[in-house]
Amino acid sequence: MRIGVLDIGSNTGHLLVVDAYRGAPPLPAYTYKEPLRLAEHLDEQGAVDERGRKALVRFVDEARVVAAEKGCSEVIAFATSAVRDAVNADDVLSLVERESGVALQVLPGEEEARLTFLAVRRWFGWSSGRLGVFDIGGGSLEIACGSDESPDVCTSLPLGAGRLTREWFPTGVPTDEQYEALRLAVRQRIAEQAGSLMRAGGFDHAVATSKTFRSLARLSGAAPSEQGPYVRRMLERDALAAVLEELRRMPVDEIAMQPGVSANRAHQMVAGAVVADAVMDLFDLGGLEVCPWALREGVLLERHDHM
């Protein structure tokens, strides 16, 4: 069965076409994506602006056509933080459905964390024991932990790399004062949740997902994506600290030239690294293993289970 998973994130619109078979992992067949940067198309009132709405409608309509051309019998379409938090979310969803015929489901932050956790559990299996999963998106940070396929506890915090960049670094390269203010604010927000997340115990296996973590791991010396998904990739805390010190003083165009960094995300790498550094420090993690599966795979796996 060929299924399309349409993910409208805060940074990117991404259609993943997969072949799903009972008793086998979903096999990617085609991918179609575009940088929408919806988190940066919120006006002063917190509404998705006209430019953002037009880009979203156009991409969703194009993704619908691509999914049909690739033979998808079903398209699972959802949106995350940028649409979820927009004050005009209902109007945006109605516009998209009216113009493209695609009904986007908005995932709550905790549901996003739960489905990402499911994907990580399926990838690494039961031998990982108690999992701690961290995902830095464009608009939010998701954290989940537990010993089963569903996490014992999960949370979503408004600490996405795109959101923080827009709010704290409006002129590009941050000043020392802007950097330090963000660093402390991020740590305070994560620390408010750390106690409840760790109350049931620590982690046997700490895992990171998302493009931000993958890019940071690559900058720290992890294998490039060309070597495939089965190569073990780690983000070490000490290596991240060194990378962060370099990134925070680089102009954006120089960051975009670094290995593993895409041009459309280069401007938010510093904010993403600040969040990753805070996570590893406050949860006392020496390293995070990077998982190639995340939210899209979690959505697909749950749908596959119900087939």
Side-chain angles (χ1 to χ4, degrees):
M1 181 178 186
R2 179 159 286 193
I3 300 175
V5 181
L6 179 57
D7 174 3
I8 303 301
S10 297
N11 286 314
T12 306
H14 192 156
L15 171 69
L16 177 64
V17 176
V18 300
D19 290 320
Y21 300 97
R22 184 180 297 278
L27 300 176
Y30 188 78
T31 187
Y32 175 72
K33 59 185 178 180
E34 181 178 319
L36 299 175
R37 293 166 72 159
L38 291 178
E40 298 170 34
H41 284 293
L42 299 177
D43 61 24
E44 294 180 356
Q45 287 73 43
V48 179
D49 63 24
E50 183 179 3
R51 183 178 175 187
R53 294 194 301 271
K54 286 182 176 179
L56 175 58
V57 168
R58 177 183 51 77
F59 174 78
V60 171
D61 193 46
E62 290 174 355
R64 175 188 59 79
V65 173
V66 170
E69 290 288 341
K70 296 301 177 182
C72 292
S73 58
E74 178 183 355
V75 175
I76 306 169
F78 62 90
T80 57
S81 178
V83 175
R84 180 172 69 231
D85 297 339
V87 298
N88 62 339
D90 290 342
D91 292 339
V92 171
L93 296 172
S94 296
L95 175 66
V96 170
E97 185 170 8
R98 185 169 63 252
E99 297 293 329
S100 69
V102 176
L104 291 175
Q105 175 189 2
V106 176
L107 292 182
E110 290 75 15
E111 182 72 354
E112 191 176 340
R114 183 187 70 81
L115 290 166
T116 301
F117 184 92
L118 171 63
V120 174
R121 171 62 76 192
R122 292 286 179 90
W123 181 267
F124 287 115
W126 298 111
S127 63
S128 286
R130 183 171 171 79
L131 274 173
V133 177
F134 303 87
D135 186 329
I136 302 172
S140 58
L141 163 69
E142 275 69 50
I143 307 174
C145 53
S147 301
D148 299 321
E149 284 209 332
S150 293
D152 301 332
V153 60
C154 56
T155 190
S156 178
L157 302 174
L159 299 176
R163 181 196 299 267
L164 295 178
T165 299
R166 184 182 74 251
E167 294 176 352
W168 292 82
F169 302 157
T171 60
V173 179
T175 65
D176 289 343
E177 291 77 12
Q178 289 172 330
Y179 173 81
E180 188 64 12
L182 173 62
R183 193 180 72 84
L184 295 178
V186 166
R187 285 168 174 263
Q188 181 180 26
R189 190 64 186 267
I190 294 174
E192 291 172 354
Q193 301 292 326
S196 63
L197 288 163
M198 296 297 287
R199 188 167 292 125
F203 311 132
D204 297 312
H205 192 178
V207 177
T209 71
S210 80
K211 177 63 174 177
T212 295
F213 272 122
R214 290 198 302 271
S215 295
L216 291 171
R218 179 72 183 97
L219 288 169
S220 302
S225 59
E226 291 78 11
Q227 292 189 19
Y230 301 112
V231 175
R232 188 169 188 254
R233 294 174 174 87
M234 292 292 300
L235 175 60
E236 304 291 347
R237 182 171 163 187
D238 291 342
L240 172 62
V243 166
L244 178 53
E245 280 303 305
E246 293 182 5
L247 287 177
R248 60 177 289 222
R249 305 193 185 280
M250 282 186 190
V252 172
D253 58 352
E254 188 174 342
I255 294 176
M257 297 173 63
Q258 303 306 305
V261 178
S262 56
N264 65 296
R265 292 176 185 261
H267 65 296
Q268 61 188 45
M269 285 304 301
V270 174
V274 166
V275 176
D277 180 65
V279 161
M280 298 181 78
D281 184 15
L282 293 172
F283 287 92
D284 194 23
L285 303 172
L288 288 163
E289 185 166 3
V290 179
C291 180
W293 279 6
L295 176 60
R296 283 183 293 276
E297 287 77 12
V299 169
L300 178 64
L301 287 166
E302 185 158 82
R303 173 67 183 88
H304 197 188
D305 287 347
H306 294 151
M307 284 172 57

